[in-house]
Amino acid sequence: MALALEEAQAAASRGEVPVGAVLLGPDGELLAKAGNEVRANNDPTAHAERLVLTRAAQKHGTSFLTDCDLWVTLEPCAMCAGAISLARIRRLYFGAEDSKGGAVLYGPRLFSQPTCHHRPEVYSGFQESEASELLRSFFAARRS
Amino acid sequence: MALALEEAQAAASRGEVPVGAVLLGPDGELLAKAGNEVRANNDPTAHAERLVLTRAAQKHGTSFLTDCDLWVTLEPCAMCAGAISLARIRRLYFGAEDSKGGAVLYGPRLFSQPTCHHRPEVYSGFQESEASELLRSFFAARRS
């Protein structure tokens, strides 16, 4: 999670919403890391989680990331939770909960839907306060 | 929808699940078109809808596609419906319903969730039989 937080901090310094993600392979090896790149890429789908899934799959030479684990600083949104399921991620570890935009514990609770075809194991609360504080200070600075 | 169906047919001929999408700008101009490229790109997130959103936004130079309309041959999944909301698409037109993997009329019904921050207008049933038939024959051929 430390590495995901570093990616989130780097995203903030680029003016992006500070969320970072890391994808690890079956033996814990680093496959991809990214922060949000929505502004940099002019891409509404360039969330950190979506980017590491795409990049790791391309590196791996397969569209399935079975036995891979995703670490992300914030609870994934519906788009990212959907992508996590499509990629068949083994375990999802996230930091802060997101009651407004999250789709795992909140909102549509995608992995609990009967039509969800692959559910990762989900663990939350990792360095939650650091992840939340990054987001809080980012948005406070933009409002001031 | 004819153009989206052409993209779906082209996807099938590449061995991809035959779904096609087209993104139109505020005045009906073509911004992007794509079929699924999951296999070609080794990218679990390379659904037709996600690709046209990314490509149109990059072309447009903004991550918001307000006032743009998306045409797609199949009801979007959770990932794509989430991306459609993030991109602030104005109207979504789709062909066939997808009771197993759709996230608009079925499953999580994402646009009806209280935490969905942007809902497009949704219209369905456009050339539904052609869109369904493409999918049916694609999967039948792979099972035989």
Side-chain angles (χ1 to χ4, degrees), chain A residues 101-117:
Chain A
V104 177
L105 303 180
Y106 292 93
R109 296 177 179 81
L110 274 190
F111 303 135
S112 305
Q113 292 286 339
T115 55
C116 179
H117 305 304

Side-chain angles (χ1 to χ4, degrees), chain B residues 28-43:
Chain B
E29 69 277 24
L30 178 66
L31 294 181
K33 58 180 183 166
N36 271 15
E37 296 181 14
V38 171
R39 285 167 56 116
N41 297 355
N42 283 320
D43 181 357

